[in-house]
Amino acid sequence: MKITFPKFVSSDDELNITYNYRCELYQRHVKKIPSGYVITEFLPDVPWAGIYNTISCAASHHFREGRWMRDPAPLTDYARFWCSEGNPRLYSFPIADSILALSKVTGDFSIGVALYPKLKEIHNAWDDHMVDCGMYTQLCDRDGMELSISGDGIRPTINSYMYADKMALSLLAEYAGDHNSAERFRSEAKKLRNDINERLWNNNIGMFGVISEEGQMRNVREQIGYIPWMYGIPNEGKDSSFRYLLDESCFLAPYGLRTADATHPEYRKHFDHECLWNGPVWPFATAQTLTALITYLQTQK
């Protein structure tokens, strides 16, 4: 299927080349399957993928980037796929928020309403990752962020995703006429937002951080500390953490943004693994951080 993105032209030739490259690359990842289309994360088949070489880890990026296609059919197929054949819980994935992001561009909320019962089921299944305080725990590997310095535990990643999905589901529930569930999701989202602000904010480092499985706050600045801003979660007074993005001793590297603070003793600690989130630059993380920054700049008072 030939896909078409909006034409983009600016006075910056490098930006124009990058945009056109992204459009071309996205086209390569649109894959035809018997039930329609999916978006792949890797062009070659990889053993950790699911059916049709799909991986839920980067699916939210696929929706956010692909929602600007002139024809939304591949992504509506993709949404149906994750609610039928795919495994949306293999990795952390804010599926309801991702589908809602598509609908906000197209103006057509019918796909989210049609899939609402399944989206609700998928979201409720994440209760198996909930701990006594009502927050969610996740392995860094299942965030697609293997061997992070912060490690496993109550992470800003999955908790931000669950907040976003609760907010998305509250809206879809209203459209579907499930008003009781809409109120429940809003109430749960409000509590989770408060918990993220109160429990995951680390005053020692001036960023959101991870509570380890042993209940200790990990004192390391990582790009995942910006993810709450993607969804408008942080309270006022926490935006000073953005100063670390332009700090060459912290995140700012010669060719991008490091995933972790370069001054931390475990920065780029050696592991025999091809994917390390303890310092190297990853476009996945950069996209999240830039989205968080854009959201902050667009919504700050």
Side-chain angles (χ1 to χ4, degrees):
M1 178 181 183
K2 178 66 176 177
I3 64 172
T4 306
F5 282 95
K7 185 176 179 61
F8 175 83
V9 178
S10 76
S11 59
D12 188 324
D13 289 339
E14 187 172 339
L15 191 59
N16 296 334
I17 291 171
T18 301
Y19 179 83
N20 291 329
Y21 168 74
R22 291 300 306 161
C23 294
E24 178 188 342
L25 192 62
Y26 199 99
Q27 169 73 70
R28 295 180 188 179
H29 286 271
V30 178
K31 182 176 183 178
K32 184 73 172 69
I33 64 172
S35 59
Y37 292 92
V38 295
I39 316 299
T40 62
E41 183 176 352
F42 295 90
L43 290 176
D45 288 346
V46 293
W48 57 88
I51 186 174
Y52 307 124
N53 205 36
T54 57
I55 307 174
S56 58
C57 186
S60 61
H61 291 289
H62 301 157
F63 278 100
R64 283 179 172 264
E65 191 168 18
R67 59 186 168 158
W68 305 106
M69 288 188 288
R70 294 192 182 278
D71 183 358
L75 283 186
T76 55
D77 287 346
Y78 195 42
R80 294 187 186 95
F81 164 81
W82 284 120
C83 290
S84 55
E85 302 172 75
N87 183 356
R89 296 184 62 236
L90 183 60
Y91 289 88
S92 304
F93 171 26
I95 182 172
D97 175 79
S98 300
I99 293 172
L100 184 61
L102 169 66
S103 295
K104 287 181 176 179
V105 170
T106 64
D108 182 2
F109 292 83
S110 61
I111 183 66
V113 174
L115 295 176
Y116 166 69
K118 185 63 178 180
L119 293 173
K120 180 179 177 182
E121 176 187 324
I122 293 169
H123 183 77
N124 290 338
W126 282 106
D127 285 354
D128 63 5
H129 281 57
M130 189 180 290
V131 292
D132 291 343
C133 67
M135 301 189 76
Y136 297 86
T137 185
Q138 183 60 293
L139 305 176
C140 61
D141 173 79
R142 292 300 92 188
D143 272 339
M145 301 174 178
E146 300 91 334
L147 300 167
S148 299
I149 296 173
S150 58
D152 309 331
I154 303 175
R155 296 168 57 82
T157 48
I158 190 170
N159 284 281
S160 296
Y161 302 156
M162 292 298 101
Y163 167 82
D165 268 6
K166 290 178 190 298
M167 292 298 294
L169 286 166
S170 70
L171 180 59
L172 294 175
E174 293 286 9
Y175 282 138
D178 187 2
H179 304 299
N180 289 335
S181 291
E183 178 57 34
R184 176 174 67 84
F185 283 126
R186 280 193 294 269
S187 177
E188 290 178 357
K190 181 179 179 180
K191 179 185 181 303
L192 186 54
R193 180 185 180 186
N194 289 337
D195 285 341
I196 292 171
N197 278 287
E198 294 298 321
R199 295 175 181 269
L200 295 188
W201 180 256
N202 186 338
N203 279 319
N204 292 334
I205 61 172
M207 288 192 70
F208 288 100
V210 174
I211 299 175
S212 71
E213 293 181 320
E214 294 74 34
Q216 301 298 315
M217 175 62 77
R218 297 299 307 275
N219 288 317
V220 54
R221 297 185 183 98
E222 295 174 310
Q223 277 197 67
I224 61 171
Y226 294 112
I227 289 177
W229 269 279
M230 290 180 64
Y231 308 106
I233 294 171
N235 294 335
E236 292 183 13
K238 293 181 168 64
D239 52 2
S240 61
S241 63
F242 283 111
R243 73 180 186 270
Y244 299 117
L245 288 178
L246 299 180
D247 185 344
E248 293 180 356
S249 68
C250 188
F251 291 120
L252 186 61
Y255 300 101
L257 295 173
R258 303 178 180 99
T259 49
D261 184 352
T263 65
H264 194 277
E266 294 183 50
Y267 172 73
R268 297 199 67 181
K269 180 178 178 181
H270 175 73
F271 292 97
D272 188 17
H273 196 282
E274 60 186 348
C275 299
L276 297 177
W277 286 68
N278 60 5
V281 174
W282 284 103
F284 187 117
T286 302
Q288 289 182 316
T289 298
L290 293 180
T291 300
L293 180 58
I294 290 168
T295 303
Y296 165 70
L297 292 174
Q298 290 177 335
T299 57
Q300 68 172 330
K301 296 180 181 179

